[in-house]
Amino acid sequence: MNAPTAAIRVVPATERDTPLILFFIRHLAEYERLPEACVATEDGLRETLFGDSPAAEVIFAYHENTPVGFALFFHNYSTFLAQRGLFLEDLFVLPEARSKGVGYALLSELARIALSRDCGRMEWAVLKWNQLAIDFYDRIGAEPLHDWDVYRISGTTLRRLASIR
């Protein structure tokens, strides 16, 4: 496991970072082979991340003065623990910065945030084909939840379900 170097710093995003957040989201969409699914805009991000009721938070990793990674997260809730948790929606490190401790620095900061907010756990999903990420998560001691599958509805299916009475 590559621990972060002193040259890596992690900072929270501010509203003025909205273009940078979109930059990382678009790179993540390319990496995940889903560029057509990325319809996020700066205005949408500004409203949902920095508006009256923020839905999520973002942190950035910098190597010296260059942004090299980001993580977007929000809180969920565990009924079994009766505590909130921290859900990592996205983590992305630019290819040229990988294996330099950037991902570790981001996850370490998320763990600190989770503990400071009395979260009982951190969770995230990983694409089954993303062996690079899976290997990294294994190295830090994360445990895959083999008994669970993620389900999703969106678009037309979501609207159809909402109309059932």
Side-chain angles (χ1 to χ4, degrees):
M1 169 171 31
N2 293 332
T5 66
I8 297 171
R9 65 185 168 87
V10 178
V11 298
T14 65
E15 187 172 351
R16 75 176 183 276
D17 295 316
T18 302
L20 184 58
I21 295 168
L22 186 57
F23 166 85
F24 276 107
I25 290 171
R26 287 182 175 154
H27 275 74
L28 173 66
E30 287 288 332
Y31 177 77
E32 291 185 347
R33 307 171 192 159
L34 296 167
E36 69 286 346
C38 184
V39 297
T41 64
E42 285 186 26
D43 287 341
L45 291 171
R46 196 172 286 107
E47 174 61 30
T48 56
L49 297 177
F50 304 105
D52 292 338
S53 182
E57 299 173 62
V58 174
I59 57 174
F60 291 112
Y62 282 81
H63 179 264
E64 296 172 355
N65 290 321
T66 303
V68 293
F70 94 122
L72 186 145
F73 65 98
F74 54 88
H75 290 288
N76 57 12
Y77 188 81
S78 168
T79 53
F80 289 1
L81 296 176
Q83 282 181 285
R84 66 179 171 171
L86 188 146
F87 189 86
L88 172 60
E89 177 67 22
D90 291 318
L91 185 145
F92 182 76
V93 175
L94 294 174
E96 61 271 19
R98 292 184 187 148
S99 298
K100 297 183 178 177
V102 176
Y104 185 82
L106 287 165
L107 282 174
S108 181
E109 181 61 21
L110 290 171
R112 281 191 285 280
I113 291 169
L115 291 174
S116 74
R117 297 178 185 182
D118 197 33
C119 294
R121 62 186 182 201
M122 276 179 43
E123 295 178 315
W124 59 90
V126 61
L127 290 166
K128 292 180 188 232
W129 59 258
N130 193 348
Q131 196 60 50
L132 183 68
I134 291 167
D135 292 345
F136 171 64
Y137 298 143
D138 286 343
R139 281 194 307 275
I140 66 165
E143 299 176 16
L145 300 177
H146 296 293
D147 294 341
W148 296 87
D149 282 326
V150 176
Y151 282 76
R152 174 180 296 161
I153 61 171
S154 61
T156 303
T157 306
L158 180 62
R159 287 188 292 279
R160 184 173 57 243
L161 180 60
S163 70
I164 296 172
R165 297 214 183 240

